[in-house]
Structure formats: structure tokens, C-alpha cells
Amino acid sequence: MFQKQPIMRKVLYSLAPIFLFSIYLYGLRPLWIALVVFPLGILVEYFFEKKRGKKVSEAVLVTCALYTLSMPPVVPLWIVAVGIIFTVFMAKEVYGGFGRNIFNPAIAGRLFVYISFATIMQAGFVQAGNFGAAAGLWGYPVDGMSAATPLAQLRHGEPISVINAILGFRMGSLGESSVILIVLAGIYLVATKTASWRLMVSTIGSAVLLTGSLLLAGVAKALPMESLLVGSFLFVAVFMATDPVSAPKKPLAQWLYGMVIGVSVVLIRTFSLFPEGTSFAVLLGNTAASLFDDLVGGKKAAPAAAAVNTAGSAKDAGGAK
């Protein structure tokens, strides 16, 4: 049924511990969200790919996994369903399917639901462990069902626990909380040549440098350095910015692309009304990805990216015969 893609499987392997940790934090709620997302995402892709004479790509499983982990713990399941249908249909299939989309599908879907259902989505954040406790399931016990997210606290000048931010015992979307698991996943993806280290380093490094510069300049609205440990920044830097389809393929272009994302995240978080900024930053980078590849010289560098695009091109050519 599925078009085999070993690279995508490695991404799924790296996401598995993060998903299991979300179950530890929020009980079985992440599982219910996944049980909505995966069947609908696969079904939408199957419907379109069958008409093209192709199989469902394993990439849709990665899209579904990333979309699931980007959701707040208690988001209504009907919103989850609307979002994943939009994700696979509008952000992937309308462009021709796997290998042809210009935007990261999971980011596009996440941004769609956060803009369309902003109030409901914001109310979906709860303290880690409380949903599981309320449902009689295991979880990390914290008193109080809801509170400001760590990023919102920092915006108001309130301190946060850096230890909890690193370990993952704090409010946030299902998969974005544990810095340790995300960093380990990033190391695995780089070591297995599944993702480009340039994209990760340029995204994170540019955000660190700009945040430090704003703090040194005494900018009143500048967020402290620990703001990069909360929200979805690290999750996006490791899993979204490194998407081999929507990111550039040449080394210098990858550095520029990561810088655009990292700088955009900090600027949006600091000066706009949007509390996060990562989704907008990735879509902005996606828009400029092809331009960066055209403007810089050199050969394509990332083996993983090249393999993905070759597989997609070969499949397209086979379908065109």
C-alpha cells in the first residue's frame, strides 16, 4: 500500500520516543489525536494518489506524526480532523503529491488551525500531567488545569524553570516540550544522514545570535535566552526546517535558509502580536528555498534530500509513461 521510503522511516523512529513521552505527560489523549490524524491523512492521500496511479508515500506518515505532535493536548478532535484534511490536501496533493509540495505540509496544517481556531487552540494547553490525572491515567502530577505557557510567562517578565523546560515538564504542544529528546532525535537524524546539520545549526545559531544581540542592545521587548528552550522552536528547527522536500539542497542555500527561519522566529516573537512565530518563519523560508538554490552556486549537498527528490522524480516519471 505504501511507497517505501527508508529516510521517512528514520524520521518516524526519531519521533517515537517523543510521542511516548507525550503519553506519559498527558495520558492517552495523544493516542486519541493520532487515531484521528493518521487514518484521515492516509485516506486523503490514498484518494488522490489512486487517481494518479501511485501508492501512498510513507512521507504522509511523517506529516501525520509531526502534525499530531504540534497539537495542544486538549484540542477538540474535530479541529484535529479538519486540520489534517487541509494539511494533506491543500499543502501536498494540490501540488502533485510527494516531492512537489513547496511548503512543509505539517507546518501549513498547524498554521491553518491556529489561525482559524485561535481561541479554541489556545485553550487547549494544559499543565503537563493534568489531563492524564483527570482521566484517571498516569502522568506527571502538577496542580492546576491551565495556566500561561512558558513563552507567555517570559513575555510578561515572569521567570520559568529552565530544568523543567529541558526535561519537558512544562506546558506546550504534545511533542515540543522535551529538549533532551528533541536534541537526541536531531543527533540521530544527522548521524544517519536523514537530515542536514547545516539547516539545524543555521536555524538555531542565528536565533541564538539575534536573541543575544537584542539583549546586549537593551531592547525592551527582547526575550531572554531561555525563550529558545520553550515553545516549538527546537522541535521546528530539528524536524520542520530540515524537511528535504521544502528546504534548499545546496550548502550555502541551506545556511541562508536556516538563518531566515531563525531570525524570523526571534523577530516575530519579539515584535509581533503572535506569541510563537515558528510556523510563519518556516513558511517564509519555504517560499525562498528555491530562490536560494538558484542564487548560489555549487552542487546539491544533502544525500538525504537528494535521495528523497530522486525517488519522487522517478516515481513521477514512471507515472507519466
Side-chain angles (χ1 to χ4, degrees):
M1 176 182 177
F2 290 100
Q3 176 186 340
K4 295 181 179 180
Q5 295 164 326
I7 291 174
M8 296 301 170
R9 292 183 186 179
K10 292 176 183 177
V11 179
L12 292 173
Y13 298 155
S14 69
L15 289 169
I18 297 174
F19 180 72
L20 292 175
F21 185 67
S22 73
I23 293 177
Y24 171 74
L25 293 178
Y26 301 108
L28 297 182
R29 182 65 180 182
L31 183 60
W32 306 144
I33 294 176
L35 287 175
V36 171
V37 170
F38 279 83
L40 283 176
I42 293 170
L43 184 62
V44 172
E45 178 152 327
Y46 172 78
F47 177 79
F48 284 94
E49 295 304 319
K50 183 179 180 181
K51 291 181 178 296
R52 298 180 178 125
K54 301 178 182 179
K55 293 182 179 181
V56 175
S57 68
E58 289 184 345
V60 75
L61 301 179
V62 174
T63 296
C64 289
L66 292 175
Y67 175 81
T68 296
L69 291 171
S70 72
M71 292 293 101
V74 292
V75 58
L77 296 182
W78 68 267
I79 290 181
V80 172
V82 170
I84 191 58
I85 292 172
F86 175 91
T87 296
V88 179
F89 173 47
M90 291 300 296
K92 186 176 182 182
E93 294 304 322
V94 296
Y95 293 99
F98 172 69
R100 293 187 173 185
N101 52 287
I102 62 174
F103 298 110
N104 181 287
I107 279 289
R110 170 184 176 164
L111 193 56
F112 170 73
V113 294
Y114 270 90
I115 291 177
S116 301
F117 313 104
T119 302
I120 301 176
M121 294 294 288
Q122 190 60 35
F125 293 103
V126 295
Q127 287 283 14
N130 278 277
F131 189 87
L137 304 169
W138 65 89
Y140 180 76
V142 182
D143 293 331
M145 279 296 293
S146 63
T149 63
L151 198 54
Q153 288 180 260
L154 292 174
R155 272 176 167 258
H156 290 90
E158 301 174 12
I160 64 169
S161 169
V162 175
I163 296 298
N164 283 345
I166 293 175
L167 295 178
F169 300 129
R170 49 98 172 169
M171 289 180 65
S173 297
L174 294 178
E176 72 182 23
S177 62
S178 177
V179 172
I180 293 176
L181 290 180
I182 292 172
V183 169
L184 289 176
I187 293 172
Y188 169 78
L189 292 175
V190 171
T192 57
K193 298 183 179 179
T194 305
S196 168
W197 64 270
R198 296 181 187 86
L199 293 170
M200 293 186 197
V201 171
S202 57
T203 299
I204 297 172
S206 59
V208 170
L209 289 175
L210 180 56
T211 299
S213 298
L214 292 175
L215 290 171
L216 289 174
V219 176
K221 293 185 177 181
L223 294 173
M225 196 65 72
E226 55 263 36
S227 64
L228 299 179
L229 297 176
V230 298
S232 61
F233 175 67
L234 289 178
F235 184 80
V236 165
V238 170
F239 293 106
M240 310 293 201
T242 57
D243 174 28
V245 174
S246 57
K249 312 303 180 290
K250 298 178 181 178
L252 179 56
Q254 290 176 341
W255 285 106
L256 296 174
Y257 177 82
M259 290 172 61
V260 166
I261 295 176
V263 168
S264 296
V265 168
V266 175
L267 292 178
I268 293 171
R269 283 182 169 188
T270 304
F271 299 108
S272 80
L273 296 177
F274 293 99
E276 183 58 90
T278 53
S279 297
F280 291 103
V282 173
L283 289 188
L284 181 62
N286 290 165
T287 303
S290 295
L291 176 62
F292 287 150
D293 268 336
D294 288 340
L295 291 178
V296 304
K299 298 180 180 180
K300 295 181 180 180
V308 168
N309 285 312
T310 300
S313 299
K315 189 67 178 175
D316 291 339
K321 290 181 180 177

